[in-house]
Amino acid sequence: AASAWGFECLPALHAPITLVVQYETSPSPAALTEMQKELNTLLQKANRRVELKRREEMEGSDAADLVLVKFRGNCRMETAPIFLDERGPLAFTHTMDGEVLPFSEVLCDKVRVAARSAMHGGQMAEGDRLMGRAMARVLAHELYHIAANTGKHGKEGVAKRSLSGAQLIADRLDFDDHEALFLRGKSAR
């Protein structure tokens, strides 16, 4: 069945995945570097890799596996206190007629609040890098939904229902083996 976007069916994700990104407020260079590095580290278990490209860089491109990602809000770590209700999702992926579409939105303000709530001491000096790590983990979670074509969550790691601020900035967080299979394009339904 055709969707409102005009696709007859959505392709399975295969390496490399091109993330076409759009930012309301661009992350710092340190955050972008860490986000790319962490995304590829997380997806390595599934033998996948990602390339981030701004929307304007895609003109004339013939990339096969595209995921459109909008980063809403302020994607920079701020040193001033943040007063924002952190309840609710940190990101979401669009669906239509039970199908998961390759269109995600990351809510940077909520990610920033969650990450900052777990930071202490010297971590504040690495705020931009930790923000990049947090955004990567939130985005990897959404890529899991897209690759597995499911709204279901894993029991552990990046694919679980919710991630704490501490998990978003921890030195290590991974997909478990079961969810890594779904990142290879195996349906979780």
Side-chain angles (χ1 to χ4, degrees):
S3 74
W5 296 95
F7 295 115
E8 289 300 316
C9 65
L10 298 174
L13 294 178
H14 299 288
I17 303 166
T18 302
L19 302 178
V20 181
V21 296
Q22 181 179 5
Y23 305 101
E24 283 183 4
T25 303
S26 292
S28 71
L32 286 172
T33 298
E34 182 69 15
M35 183 169 63
Q36 176 83 48
K37 179 181 157 224
E38 181 69 10
L39 275 168
N40 282 313
T41 297
L42 288 167
L43 297 178
Q44 186 174 27
K45 193 172 193 176
N47 296 322
R48 307 301 300 270
R49 66 184 174 87
V50 296
E51 296 175 347
L52 276 79
K53 295 194 180 245
R54 289 187 179 264
R55 197 167 143 195
E56 53 272 12
E57 295 174 316
M58 292 305 297
E59 197 165 314
S61 176
D62 62 351
D65 289 332
L66 296 175
V67 175
L68 303 176
V69 183
K70 286 186 181 179
F71 289 84
R72 300 219 180 262
N74 185 355
C75 298
R76 291 180 174 259
M77 187 56 75
E78 302 284 331
T79 56
I82 305 165
F83 302 103
L84 180 71
D85 183 0
E86 64 181 274
R87 292 175 293 184
L90 301 175
F92 58 92
T93 296
H94 296 271
T95 60
M96 179 177 280
D97 298 329
E99 294 295 314
V100 180
L101 303 174
F103 304 104
S104 296
E105 296 187 38
V106 175
L107 307 175
C108 288
D109 293 325
K110 289 187 180 248
V111 173
R112 189 174 75 249
V113 168
R116 185 157 177 197
S117 72
M119 294 168 66
H120 58 278
Q123 289 179 318
M124 292 306 286
E126 294 190 63
D128 284 334
R129 189 177 66 78
L130 294 175
M131 180 67 178
R133 182 182 295 170
M135 290 188 307
R137 291 175 179 177
V138 168
L139 184 51
H141 177 101
E142 297 308 313
L143 290 174
Y144 164 78
H145 289 301
I146 293 167
N149 191 26
T150 186
K152 294 179 183 177
H153 291 93
K155 294 181 181 174
E156 298 293 325
V158 178
K160 73 181 209 171
R161 179 170 295 283
S162 65
L163 298 172
S164 69
Q167 290 168 319
L168 290 175
I169 66 169
D171 288 339
R172 183 143 175 100
L173 184 68
D174 213 341
F175 284 102
D176 72 18
D177 293 337
H178 186 67
E179 278 74 36
L181 283 175
F182 297 132
L183 281 164
R184 291 184 189 125
K186 312 286 188 229
S187 179
R189 287 186 176 200

